[in-house]
Amino acid sequence: MAITSRRDVLRYSAAGVVTAATAAVGVQGVTSADSAAAPQSAAADPRDFDETYKSKKIKGKHNAGGKHELQINNRKLALTSINTLFFPEDGSAPHVGIGYISAVNHYDPVEIDETANRDGLKKLAKKIVDILGDAELSDEAAQEHRH
């Protein structure tokens, strides 16, 4: 059995106190950094909308990574992003971009980005309302699918 001196006990106790204090300060720094960052990530995208179009409530939310959300009369419409070739209506050169389709506009993708097509999600919502007319989305419209 090893003999522990009073000096060793004090030395190891002091080291333990310093380690615990350092950990507490580190945790406090990480916690305050997370809480400071939280309001920024919760900020709404300026392209988000919640309005009425042709007597239907349309709501769109832009999320990071292209996982945008769209609701028509409080019913979710699943969106799928695909790479596709676009032929702009303004006569500019065709280009490849990310198009969003749903069960309703499956063969007519709408481009959504942060520049020239920043209103693409709203354009898509209005296109869906135009296609639906008096009909409503079914529960199946919220089911995601892959391409």
Side-chain angles (χ1 to χ4, degrees), residues 49-86:
F49 58 92
D50 187 353
E51 60 188 59
T52 301
Y53 175 73
K54 294 187 177 179
S55 301
K56 293 191 188 267
K57 182 179 178 184
I58 58 173
K59 184 176 183 179
K61 185 171 193 273
H62 294 79
N63 294 318
K67 292 289 185 183
H68 307 310
E69 297 174 33
L70 185 58
Q71 292 183 0
I72 311 290
N73 280 346
N74 297 317
R75 289 183 171 251
K76 181 181 175 187
L77 178 62
L79 302 177
T80 301
S81 62
I82 59 169
N83 289 326
T84 191
L85 181 62
F86 286 98

Side-chain angles (χ1 to χ4, degrees), residues 2-4 12 39 52-53 56 73-74 81 96 99 109-110 113 115 117 124-125 130 133 139 145-146:
I3 298 175
T4 307
Y12 295 128
T52 301
Y53 175 73
K56 293 191 188 267
N73 280 346
N74 297 317
S81 62
V96 174
V110 174
D113 60 31
T115 56
N117 300 294
L124 176 58
D130 291 342
D139 292 336
H145 67 280
R146 303 226 185 271

Side-chain angles (χ1 to χ4, degrees), residues 106-117:
H106 199 268
Y107 296 104
D108 190 13
V110 174
E111 191 170 16
I112 301 171
D113 60 31
E114 295 180 16
T115 56
N117 300 294

Side-chain angles (χ1 to χ4, degrees), residues 27 45 64:
V27 167
D45 187 299

